[in-house]
Amino acid sequence: MSGGLLVAGTTSDAGKSVVTAGICRWLVRQGVKVAPFKAQNMSLNSFVTREGAEIGRAQAMQAQACRVEPTAQMNPVLLKPGGEQSSQVVLLGKPVGEMSARGYHGGRQQRLLGTVLDCLAELRGTYDAVICEGAGSPAEINLRRTDIVNMGIARGAGFPVLVVGDIDRGGVFASFFGTVALLAPEDQALVAGFLVNKFRGDVSLLEPGLDMLHGLTGRRTYGVLPFRHGLGIDEEDGLRVSLRGTVRESVVAPPVGEDVLRVAVCAVPLMSNFTDVDALAAEPGVVVRFVDRPEELADADLVIVPGTRGTVRALEWLRERGLADAIARRVAERRPVLGICGGFQLLGEHIEDDVESRAGHVDGLGLLPVRVRFAREKTLTRPGGEALGEHVEGYEIHHGVADVTGGDPFLDGCRVGQTWGTHWHGSLESDGFRRAFLREVAAAAGRRFVPAPDTSFAALREEQLDLLGDLIEHHADTDALWRLIESGAPQGLPFIPPGAPA
């Protein structure tokens, strides 16, 4: 087999990331050497490869589905929003500057097409198949001229396109038809067909509509995937402002001890790597909730201040909402608080920032003996070490350099009483360390909570990826998918008017 496929979507969050991962895992189980690819990703959820390159976490997850190490070539362009109008541009794993949306789409994006096609060609030369993920919708007619992630990459590589639609949102038939009908003839010729995602109910009731869609477009539906809870692993969520009320899904198993453990995560602006708490949510008896009001911290056994792309902005937000005072009261009462990356930085005494916010000297919350200075060069590492008597691994993505002047050592940060701070993302995925940390939290909170002795986050992640592979294997026409990946889009697909406007 030698080929590839672009998984596009009718909208953002249609399920492109999980469908791509599912196809990758299905192919791996057939003995195919496969790699994921996303030319351009907009996300604050990122990961560091072993070579020290920063890429989207979705592509790192897809690489795991492929059972290969993630590389910068799998996500050559990463945009990290710093607000509504600008983003940090990360090229081949390294930041190259801040740019406005107008400046990026006004010329810089198109100049990157050669780079992303080179990366794709390198992967195609190494793997049997490359499964590409698009971004948003391929029918963004205002952006088609500079597109390097949807039809631009499909046309450049000659890849067939599978359009995913989220039927749970409604309007999926109109979305499928309209997506094709707004593409130029050359782009339409690559759109092979559709995949329905998140379907609830009796598929036989849907089939007449799929037949009519085929009659209207000349394109078949390659599968109907049923709705499944808990498959939104490593989401992108590049511009989500608040996650208040969102609960990270926990395993169904009851707590091992007599009590549950309640974790409140402050939904700070420009939150980054909120997937850090997924390992906590995987523990039986741990309830993880995102909050944005001080009263929601009252019954929490652990409060987490997560990473953020805007440390100073998050600090202001905590103060404006009264959360800063609520956290300070917790610390005075010796109730557990954990700061991760930007959350660690703002718990310190002061911040000197002439890089991210350009605010200069800013007083922190003063809850940890730490002083932070923002450096222009970004720290991108995969550290390992020991804490609480257990081995820990993580990854670091930050401009802030912490000068720790007291407290007890904790990873690269410090601990004072029940207040903890570290730059290490992903540390809670280390099972032994996570259990030891939760035991300390439970003791400090006075909860009779006992961590499950056998929870393996890596094994749970593998189970999720296998479930994604099962969805493709059991609910998609895999013979037809195989032909599509190997041979490209069917010949003679009809043009659906009106096509792309001039």
Side-chain angles (χ1 to χ4, degrees), residues 340-362:
I340 302 174
C341 200
F344 164 45
Q345 295 168 6
L346 60 82
L347 291 178
E349 296 167 351
H350 74 252
I351 298 168
E352 196 70 35
D353 181 10
D354 295 317
V355 176
E356 190 175 79
S357 67
R358 297 181 175 85
H361 180 91
V362 177

Side-chain angles (χ1 to χ4, degrees), residues 107-440:
R108 176 65 181 269
Q109 184 181 35
Q110 183 64 22
R111 291 196 296 272
L112 293 174
L113 180 59
T115 299
V116 300
L117 287 174
D118 287 345
C119 289
L120 180 55
E122 185 175 336
L123 292 174
R124 295 181 75 180
T126 305
Y127 293 90
D128 300 329
V130 180
I131 307 302
C132 306
E133 179 189 344
S137 162
E140 304 290 354
I141 54 179
N142 55 316
L143 303 176
R144 176 62 185 92
R145 182 178 60 85
T146 58
D147 171 44
I148 66 170
V149 66
N150 289 307
M151 300 313 300
I153 200 74
R155 201 190 295 189
F159 276 179
V161 178
L162 187 67
V163 181
V164 178
D166 179 358
I167 197 170
D168 197 50
R169 293 182 173 186
V172 74
F173 292 117
S175 298
F176 281 146
F177 183 88
T179 296
V180 179
L182 282 176
L183 298 177
E186 299 84 354
D187 290 342
Q188 287 195 22
L190 295 173
V191 178
F194 314 108
L195 187 75
V196 176
N197 191 30
K198 301 182 185 177
F199 179 72
R200 305 173 192 251
D202 185 348
V203 176
S204 67
L205 299 177
L206 184 67
E207 287 171 350
L210 301 179
D211 292 339
M212 286 185 269
L213 182 66
H214 184 271
L216 288 167
T217 67
R219 290 159 174 84
R220 58 167 298 171
T221 297
Y222 283 76
V224 178
L225 307 185
F227 188 96
R228 292 286 187 269
H229 285 284
L231 294 183
I233 51 179
D234 291 358
E235 302 102 324
E236 293 174 357
D237 288 315
L239 286 172
R240 185 175 292 185
V241 176
S242 174
L243 291 169
R244 188 178 71 79
T246 298
V247 178
R248 302 305 279 177
E249 291 195 29
S250 303
V251 293
V252 179
V256 175
E258 297 179 42
D259 288 342
V260 299
L261 208 62
R262 296 173 177 83
V263 180
V265 184
C266 296
V268 296
L270 298 174
M271 189 190 313
S272 63
N273 290 73
F274 59 80
T275 48
D276 282 337
V277 302
D278 285 353
L280 294 180
E283 284 284 347
V286 176
V287 179
V288 179
R289 188 175 182 87
F290 290 90
V291 304
D292 65 359
R293 296 188 299 226
E295 58 269 25
E296 294 176 299
L297 305 188
D299 67 345
D301 303 306
L302 169 66
V303 168
I304 294 179
V305 188
T308 170
R309 172 85 163 84
T311 301
V312 171
R313 179 176 168 185
L315 184 58
E316 294 169 349
W317 181 88
L318 290 170
R319 286 175 168 145
E320 289 168 0
R321 290 178 172 260
L323 284 160
D325 290 338
I327 292 171
R329 286 194 297 271
R330 287 186 64 91
V331 171
E333 296 165 0
R334 297 182 64 82
R335 300 176 67 195
V337 174
L338 171 65
I340 302 174
C341 200
F344 164 45
Q345 295 168 6
L346 60 82
L347 291 178
E349 296 167 351
H350 74 252
I351 298 168
E352 196 70 35
D353 181 10
D354 295 317
V355 176
E356 190 175 79
S357 67
R358 297 181 175 85
H361 180 91
V362 177
D363 289 332
L365 297 184
L367 304 176
L368 285 175
V370 177
R371 300 176 179 180
V372 176
R373 175 185 57 81
F374 274 69
R376 297 201 175 275
E377 184 174 347
K378 182 183 282 191
T379 297
L380 297 167
T381 63
R382 290 272 294 271
E386 186 174 299
L388 304 180
E390 299 286 347
H391 179 71
V392 193
E393 293 182 358
Y395 56 99
E396 296 186 48
I397 306 170
H398 54 92
H399 284 280
V401 179
D403 177 21
V404 179
T405 60
D408 297 320
F410 176 64
L411 304 178
D412 70 330
C414 67
R415 169 189 182 179
V416 175
Q418 293 301 320
T419 305
W420 320 62
T422 177
H423 275 129
W424 290 22
H425 294 291
S427 61
L428 293 167
E429 295 180 16
S430 297
D431 297 327
F433 167 72
R434 182 180 64 254
R435 287 191 278 269
F437 178 70
L438 289 176
R439 283 192 290 269
E440 292 241 1

